[in-house]
Amino acid sequence: MAFESRPVPWNSEYKMQQMQLTQKTLETEDQAAFPFGGTTPRYIYLASNHTNAWGHRRGYRIQIINFAGQPMPQESTMERAFSWGRYQLAVTQRKEEEPSSTSIYNQNDPWTPTVNFTDFINNETIAGKDLVAWVTAGFLHIPHAEDIPNTVTVGNGAGFFLRPYNFFDEDPSVQSPDAVYFQNAKDAGVCEVNPASCLSETAACAPELPKFTHGGFRTGS
């Protein structure tokens, strides 16, 4: 997303800044590596060469919710064992010899790590290749008094969304067999239109549950 300066239609003496959607194709691994603290595109879209019914390329959008926080300083002699923390997102070619961003053996000898993630990013082309998206997500929680007796989960989550983006021709949930779609000319009370409206007649085995009653609170004498 970028702002473009355009004249105001009703008064050409003034200009306005209008947000414009711009598209850029990333060709190499170096271009698709976004270090922590840098500028990350608002829309990151992994597209295929196939199109949907509307002519848009089928793909997936990576939507990052939060980041792990400040990475280890690169001047540290241990940093190469955790070099994946440098990046919020990195996209590389999929290779059998690069199955994971780190190794369990890195903790035994972080000064000469078995796997150094930065070696995966060597400016190879990613256009038309099978890709791997390496996403770093996390959060920092410092214990405080409100953690007792239970730590609140709100705000303490980490993750990202991998969302279909032009992958389908429409919202796929409309094809769900449990969905009910009504039109203005149809009566929602008719069983043929809305089976849930006559559920009590078809579900004869459903138990008859009495209405909930509450006897009140006991008071001490």
Side-chain angles (χ1 to χ4, degrees):
M1 305 299 295
F3 284 97
E4 290 188 357
S5 179
R6 296 184 179 182
V8 177
W10 57 89
N11 191 340
S12 59
E13 296 182 3
Y14 298 96
K15 291 185 178 181
M16 61 180 180
Q17 299 294 328
Q18 187 171 2
M19 186 169 285
Q20 182 73 21
L21 177 65
T22 61
Q23 181 175 326
K24 179 181 179 181
T25 301
L26 306 178
E27 301 284 350
T28 65
E29 293 176 339
D30 286 14
Q31 293 177 350
F34 302 98
F36 175 84
T39 302
T40 303
R42 180 175 295 185
Y43 284 86
I44 301 173
Y45 170 40
L46 276 66
S48 69
N49 293 325
H50 303 281
T51 58
N52 61 10
W54 310 103
H56 300 291
R57 296 172 65 184
R58 299 179 185 268
Y60 285 88
R61 176 191 175 191
I62 297 178
Q63 186 174 353
I64 303 175
I65 304 173
N66 47 23
F67 309 120
Q70 188 70 28
M72 183 176 293
Q74 295 186 25
E75 57 267 21
S76 170
T77 56
M78 301 173 57
E79 193 273 340
R80 292 194 305 134
F82 317 100
S83 58
W84 48 264
R86 299 182 190 181
Y87 305 95
Q88 300 175 7
L89 170 68
V91 180
T92 64
Q93 281 193 33
R94 183 190 180 278
K95 298 179 180 179
E96 292 293 337
E97 60 271 21
E98 298 176 353
S100 62
S101 60
T102 186
S103 169
I104 191 174
Y105 302 108
N106 280 17
Q107 64 181 348
N108 299 332
D109 188 4
W111 300 276
T112 54
T114 304
V115 176
N116 182 3
F117 178 73
T118 56
D119 293 338
F120 295 4
I121 305 171
N122 51 10
N123 209 33
E124 291 182 314
T125 181
I126 57 176
K129 303 292 184 178
D130 291 335
L131 303 178
V132 178
W134 309 89
V135 183
T136 303
F139 69 95
L140 174 64
H141 176 74
I142 300 176
H144 49 85
E146 288 76 16
D147 288 336
I148 302 173
N150 297 308
T151 301
V152 178
T153 58
V154 177
N156 291 330
F160 66 97
F161 291 114
L162 185 64
R163 303 175 57 180
Y165 203 79
N166 291 323
F167 189 87
F168 300 100
D169 299 334
E170 60 181 0
D171 181 1
S173 67
V174 300
Q175 304 297 332
S176 172
D178 296 330
V180 179
Y181 177 71
F182 299 110
Q183 293 181 339
N184 295 335
K186 294 183 179 181
D187 184 3
V190 179
C191 293
E192 289 76 10
V193 177
N194 179 19
S197 64
C198 55
L199 186 62
S200 58
E201 301 176 5
T202 57
C205 61
E208 292 289 340
L209 299 177
K211 293 184 178 181
F212 175 78
T213 58
H214 185 263
F217 296 99
R218 295 182 179 181
T219 57
S221 56

